Amino acid sequence: HLVALTQATSSEDANAAQRTRRLGSGARLLGATTMRHYFSFTLTNNGQATSRCFDALVELLGDSRVEVRTTSQSAIAPFLGLKTTASCKKMAKNFAAIGADAQHLDRAVHGLSALLRAAGSLGVPEWLGDVIEALSKVGQRPQAKKEVEKTVQAFMKQQQQSRDVWKRCQQRLTEDQMDLLKARQGTMSYYS
């Protein structure tokens, strides 16, 4: 229904703020509902319902409004904790690949940001290094630099709140991955 709402509102709705609120609310609802019914969705029809919901949220990562992309990113992050290491690594590679195309750059940045956000909550999973490498690659594009810096700063802040978590993060990542993370951190500014 969310995909139909996206298509219907884009052609009919002249009020962009109203469209943004509707899509944001739809993304939040879709994410919450899918998580609530995740196991029943996964067990029926080979998990097609879960896949469709996830795909709709990934589609919204490429919306023209940053509010919709951010809301979708927040809705996707809990799903990623339920994915396997192999599937998270594959998603990181896929988002990095589509980030090469300017048309899909926003989707790539926000998808990788959701992966980084989930990794921060999962206690430094094995696939974190792959996400950092992919985010660094996508973050080289000038259009993505500010969003990537914001994402990395939030991740660093979360990790450095606990000395043990930060130590674990440093041990799990290679020296090159730590350098990439620090390079993409940028500088903090209260005025940006």
Side-chain angles (χ1 to χ4, degrees):
H1 294 290
L2 190 57
V3 175
L5 177 65
T6 304
Q7 293 169 348
T9 57
S10 64
S11 63
E12 298 170 0
D13 197 357
N15 188 345
Q18 187 177 28
R19 176 182 177 271
T20 300
R21 282 193 302 276
R22 274 191 262 159
L23 286 175
S25 296
R28 279 190 293 280
L29 178 65
L30 182 61
T33 301
T34 305
M35 286 305 296
R36 182 179 182 136
H37 301 289
Y38 181 79
F39 294 108
S40 59
F41 281 0
T42 303
L43 295 174
T44 56
N45 295 327
N46 294 326
Q48 287 180 357
T50 304
S51 295
R52 286 182 182 164
C53 292
F54 188 80
D55 292 345
L57 289 170
V58 168
E59 189 68 28
L60 288 174
L61 290 173
D63 193 78
S64 61
R65 305 281 301 206
V66 70
E67 297 89 347
V68 175
R69 294 191 303 262
T70 304
T71 303
S72 183
Q73 174 185 322
S74 296
I76 284 176
F79 279 106
L80 301 172
L82 301 170
K83 300 286 185 181
T84 64
T85 297
S87 66
C88 288
K89 285 182 176 189
K90 183 179 177 184
M91 275 189 267
K93 286 180 184 177
N94 289 344
F95 281 127
I98 66 169
D101 181 8
Q103 184 178 352
H104 300 293
L105 184 61
D106 287 330
R107 182 174 295 129
V109 170
H110 286 278
L112 289 166
S113 295
L115 281 162
L116 191 62
R117 183 179 186 167
S121 300
L122 294 172
V124 194
E126 294 177 30
W127 44 269
L128 175 60
D130 294 276
V131 173
I132 290 170
E133 290 170 2
L135 196 58
S136 179
K137 181 180 173 184
V138 171
Q140 292 174 356
R141 304 212 34 177
Q143 309 91 314
K145 184 179 178 185
K146 188 170 180 106
E147 189 65 36
V148 169
E149 286 178 359
K150 187 173 88 173
T151 298
V152 170
Q153 287 170 4
F155 174 77
M156 295 287 282
K157 181 179 179 182
Q158 179 188 32
Q159 296 302 302
Q160 292 173 349
Q161 286 179 348
S162 165
R163 189 178 322 170
D164 293 337
V165 173
W166 179 236
K167 208 180 264 188
R168 192 174 342 139
C169 185
Q170 290 174 318
Q171 290 170 349
R172 177 71 50 101
L173 299 175
T174 67
E175 190 174 324
D176 289 341
Q177 291 167 342
M178 284 300 295
D179 289 343
L180 288 172
L181 193 61
K182 290 175 184 172
R184 290 291 163 229
Q185 185 177 9
T187 56
M188 298 251 206
S189 171
Y190 292 105
Y191 302 105
S192 59

